[in-house]
Amino acid sequence: MDRYKPKKLQSHEWGYVPERWPVRQWNPPQGHGVYLFIRFPGRDVEFAAQTVVLGKRAVTTARGEFIGIARKVHDLSSGPHQKEALVVYLFESTEAATRFFVSDNRFKQPDFPPPAGACEAWTVVKFLQTRDDDLFKTYMLCDNTLRAASYSEYKERFAHPFSQLILDYGGQPFVVQSIGADSLRRHHVEENTMVTMHLFKNEEDIKKMMGDPRYEDLKRRQIAMATDFTSVFTIDSQACP
């Protein structure tokens, strides 16, 4: 393959141009793509939708696509909640997602949307190929920080049986299964935090699954091993319908 490399001219040769800028490298795809999540207060959903529309060309340039916007996020964890919404993109690499985020004049602002610190953005690799993306619009996104178990123990006692339970209710389990997340703007996430995501056709299927006695038993196991922050949301593929 060396014969295809361009010849490097010497300074005395015709056509020589000094190397003022580093050559831009192409970043190979990761997994089946990289999700970019941008979470923000629900009161600013229309502002975010407008930002998505304005950034349409920049997404294409960065080899990405807009997946959808969730106008309401159901936070299933304990503690105080605020109304939140979320934007989902898919890029071919972490570098491409980062390049898009920092180049967007609205998303990259530290106070998007105001007040400062209200918005979070992070990326995770899409581990598995999905099917029928137009039908599976409901996402279950989980952050689990290990406290009293090893990763292998957590996987054996919780993840494997939970995967089967999701399949029993027509879902696609563990589309994302990542140790940590690449933060673009996010509150502190501990190193032993696992980020997982499961897809469903609708929120009703998730409610039915949560009513299954097996789910209650699995949640008890999970809480004994790790803290859990789970949110559920359904995306709309049109930012401004």
Side-chain angles (χ1 to χ4, degrees):
M1 296 298 290
D2 289 346
R3 66 181 182 276
Y4 294 111
K5 291 184 179 179
K7 177 183 178 183
K8 188 172 182 179
L9 300 176
Q10 301 300 314
S11 60
H12 64 276
E13 293 183 283
W14 177 258
Y16 170 78
V17 177
E19 293 185 6
R20 297 180 57 193
W21 310 106
V23 177
R24 183 175 175 179
Q25 298 295 322
W26 175 73
N27 303 115
Q30 294 174 258
H32 294 280
V34 171
Y35 285 109
L36 167 61
F37 295 103
I38 304 174
R39 191 199 299 257
F40 51 90
R43 65 178 181 274
D44 297 292
V45 67
E46 294 310 318
F47 178 81
Q50 293 169 9
T51 303
V52 169
V53 173
L54 291 172
K56 186 175 181 180
R57 179 176 294 181
V59 174
T60 304
T61 302
R63 293 173 164 267
E65 63 175 310
F66 169 67
I67 300 298
I69 184 170
R71 291 177 168 79
K72 183 177 182 181
V73 175
H74 304 284
D75 185 354
L76 304 183
S77 60
S78 59
H81 302 156
Q82 68 168 340
K83 292 183 179 180
E84 292 182 318
L86 188 141
V87 172
V88 184
Y89 288 99
L90 184 67
F91 293 87
E92 65 178 18
S93 68
T94 302
E95 289 79 7
T98 303
R99 188 162 57 244
F100 161 73
F101 183 81
V102 300
S103 67
D104 189 281
N105 289 329
R106 285 161 68 111
F107 275 138
K108 74 176 180 181
Q109 295 300 317
D111 59 348
F112 171 82
C119 168
E120 292 186 295
W122 68 97
T123 60
V124 287
V125 175
K126 181 180 179 182
F127 184 74
L128 296 177
Q129 183 64 278
T130 53
R131 66 182 189 279
D132 301 326
D133 291 340
D134 292 338
L135 297 177
F136 288 83
K137 295 288 189 180
T138 298
Y139 291 46
M140 175 181 272
L141 183 62
C142 310
D143 285 7
N144 303 116
T145 304
L146 293 177
R147 296 297 186 198
S150 64
Y151 175 73
S152 58
E153 183 181 3
Y154 182 87
K155 187 175 180 180
E156 183 67 28
R157 295 189 58 204
F158 174 77
H160 285 169
F162 188 51
S163 177
Q164 185 57 55
L165 181 63
I166 292 172
L167 289 171
D168 291 346
Y169 284 88
Q172 299 185 54
F174 293 97
V175 172
V176 167
Q177 39 186 300
S178 171
I179 303 291
D182 288 312
S183 175
L184 297 174
R185 182 193 297 137
R186 198 177 188 194
H187 304 308
H188 175 69
V189 177
E190 296 185 36
E191 292 183 357
N192 58 336
T193 297
M194 295 175 293
V195 180
T196 59
M197 191 174 75
H198 323 288
L199 303 185
F200 293 83
K201 290 183 178 179
N202 51 60
E203 293 179 11
E204 279 301 315
D205 288 343
I206 294 180
K207 289 179 181 178
K208 291 177 182 176
M209 181 186 72
M210 289 180 172
D212 191 308
R214 290 177 294 169
Y215 179 81
E216 185 177 351
D217 177 61
L218 285 170
K219 290 302 291 185
R220 281 197 294 266
R221 291 191 211 174
Q222 183 186 42
I223 293 172
M225 294 184 286
T227 58
D228 175 54
F229 181 91
T230 296
S231 55
V232 171
F233 52 90
T234 298
I235 62 170
D236 184 347
S237 57
Q238 295 186 1
C240 294

